[in-house]
Amino acid sequence: MTHRRGEAVALAGLLAAAGVTHFARPGFYDPIVPRVLPGPARFWTYASGVAELAVAAAVAHPATRRRGGLAAAALFVAVLPANAQMAWDWRRRRPVRRAIAYGRVPMQAPLIWWALRVARPTR
């Protein structure tokens, strides 16, 4: 397995795992759906799970990897408001939970970088 392919498989695995958790534990995600989005939070929880699974499949397949990597970067940007919502909502929780919530916001930057790296064509 080449280094770039290994990165793509790992990114696809991360996205797939996140997508599955949206269906397995939607109650965790529902409260962090930004309140400005129309409709029920559960719709957005499931929609983001579907998006993560679709992007995971695109990243995993070499023929769609470039577009999948770009879609993953866009997805990581799109979920930033949910992570900011979680950080705000958890600001009075216990220190460990607060640290987890606060850590999700800056973690988007390396995830975006990783997705863009996977999207780059191999030489």
Side-chain angles (χ1 to χ4, degrees):
M1 185 178 316
T2 65
H3 179 67
R4 187 67 55 94
R5 182 171 177 239
E7 285 186 48
V9 168
L11 180 61
L14 174 79
L15 287 161
V20 166
T21 64
H22 281 73
F23 294 97
R25 296 195 55 219
F28 174 80
Y29 295 98
D30 291 346
I32 66 171
V33 171
R35 293 167 190 89
V36 299
L37 292 175
R42 183 62 51 96
F43 167 80
W44 295 104
T45 295
Y46 287 155
S48 60
V50 168
E52 286 172 330
L53 291 169
V55 171
V59 168
H61 194 280
T64 56
R65 185 162 295 147
R66 176 160 171 68
R67 280 180 265 175
L70 294 173
L75 183 62
F76 292 137
V77 170
V79 300
L80 186 56
N83 290 331
Q85 184 70 56
M86 182 181 188
W88 177 257
D89 290 345
W90 288 25
R91 69 190 180 280
R92 292 189 179 91
R93 296 224 178 159
R94 293 183 180 179
V96 171
R97 290 193 177 261
R98 197 168 50 235
I100 290 167
Y102 290 169
R104 288 172 62 110
V105 175
M107 184 51 106
Q108 295 310 114
L111 289 172
I112 293 165
W113 173 84
W114 186 13
L116 292 174
R117 180 174 163 81
V118 165
R120 281 192 298 208
T122 56
R123 294 180 193 154

